[in-house]
Amino acid sequence: DIQMTQSPSTLSASVGDRVTITCRASQSISSWLAWYQQKPGKAPNLLIYKASNLESGVPSRFSGRGSGTEFTLTISSLQPDDFATYYCQQYDTSWTFGQGTKVEIK
Amino acid sequence: EVQLVESGGGLVQPGRSLRLSCTASGFTSGAYAMSWFRQAPGKGLEWVGFIGTKAFGGTTEYAASVKGRFSISRDDSKSIAYLQMNSLKTDDTAVYYCTRSLVEVVAARSVSTYYYVDVWGEGTTVTVSS
């Protein structure tokens, strides 16, 4: 199975900050990676697919980069609505998620 | 509006069965692969199973943790997907999400398909406890 490791597990930041979350795969997954945002009690919401493609309707402050085994999700200027938990997910072979990164208010 | 609505969750004893339903609206469900995911209380997300479209053979795949106990089916005439859960364990306690997947087909020396989830239902809670 392909293991996904996110870092950090928790990130404390302020409104307006630039934040980056890293996701590493245990083997190459090419660009078959998605990022999701989840708020408490809600279903996840797709942000990025195929490593760097912004889902329709998602604000442009979100961006994704990477290929192979290392990927990043960047929020260019953190907004109040962005405090949530973020998950990466590989879909190269079955589907596995990182453990999540909680973005909290500093 | 594209929407997925799960139903059928509840409290069930270990060893018993439960069937979840996922009703799709706002799109032609038969044209999309569907998957189920789950999230145990306070935990991360876990893939449960997948069912492809009839055009791609309607194949099913399951996570190792549920293989042989869970099965997925679909009735495209009713726009419903099902998750049949048998021999339930306390570890199966979770919110279960029904999802729609988009596919990218890559044709090189062979044809490969890659599915990512673009729509999630709101989830239904399954509690396995005596």
Side-chain angles (χ1 to χ4, degrees):
Chain A
D1 290 6
I2 299 176
Q3 308 300 320
M4 306 300 293
T5 304
Q6 281 181 242
S7 60
S9 296
T10 305
L11 190 160
S12 298
S14 302
V15 172
D17 284 354
R18 180 184 181 88
V19 302
T20 297
I21 300 167
T22 298
C23 179
R24 290 186 173 87
S26 59
Q27 64 189 70
S28 177
I29 57 170
S30 185
S31 296
W32 306 116
L33 184 102
W35 289 97
Y36 298 90
Q37 177 194 68
Q38 187 180 33
K39 295 182 179 179
K42 300 294 186 181
N45 183 51
L46 176 66
L47 300 174
I48 302 282
Y49 63 95
K50 206 174 178 183
S52 61
N53 291 269
L54 192 68
E55 172 68 352
S56 176
V58 174
S60 59
R61 63 181 179 271
F62 291 92
S63 64
R65 297 189 64 180
S67 66
T69 62
E70 187 149 337
F71 303 86
T72 58
L73 172 71
T74 297
I75 309 172
S76 61
S77 177
L78 200 63
Q79 298 302 299
D81 192 47
D82 301 338
F83 292 97
T85 300
Y86 294 84
Y87 292 93
C88 63
Q89 179 208 44
Q90 68 82 19
Y91 54 99
D92 176 88
T93 306
S94 294
W95 299 263
T96 49
F97 293 87
Q99 79 277 20
T101 295
K102 183 177 181 180
V103 177
E104 59 181 27
I105 301 173
K106 191 172 184 180
Chain B
E1 180 192 4
V2 172
Q3 198 172 13
L4 298 168
V5 178
E6 302 93 339
S7 59
L11 174 64
V12 61
Q13 293 179 326
R16 303 298 291 266
S17 298
L18 202 62
R19 188 178 78 162
L20 305 183
S21 300
C22 169
T23 302
S25 60
F27 67 101
T28 304
S29 62
Y32 294 85
M34 308 291 285
S35 295
W36 289 87
F37 293 85
R38 68 184 180 183
Q39 188 168 35
K43 302 296 184 183
L45 296 159
E46 179 188 18
W47 169 64
V48 172
F50 163 93
I51 185 165
T53 63
K54 286 188 169 55
F56 280 86
T59 56
T60 54
E61 297 179 35
Y62 301 96
S65 58
V66 307
K67 198 169 186 178
R69 299 189 298 124
F70 290 12
S71 63
I72 298 174
S73 59
R74 61 192 302 162
D75 183 341
D76 293 336
S77 68
K78 297 180 180 177
S79 298
I80 300 179
Y82 300 98
L83 176 64
Q84 177 67 44
M85 304 184 294
N86 299 328
S87 303
L88 281 161
K89 306 175 181 178
T90 54
D91 285 350
D92 295 320
T93 294
V95 175
Y96 283 75
Y97 294 103
C98 170
T99 69
R100 181 183 88 166
S101 293
L102 296 179
V103 63
E104 182 160 342
V105 180
V106 176
R109 280 175 283 184
S110 60
V111 176
S112 298
T113 53
Y114 300 92
Y115 293 88
Y116 67 95
V117 172
D118 72 326
V119 178
W120 296 68
E122 61 186 17
T124 188
T125 300
V126 173
T127 303
V128 184
S129 174
S130 54

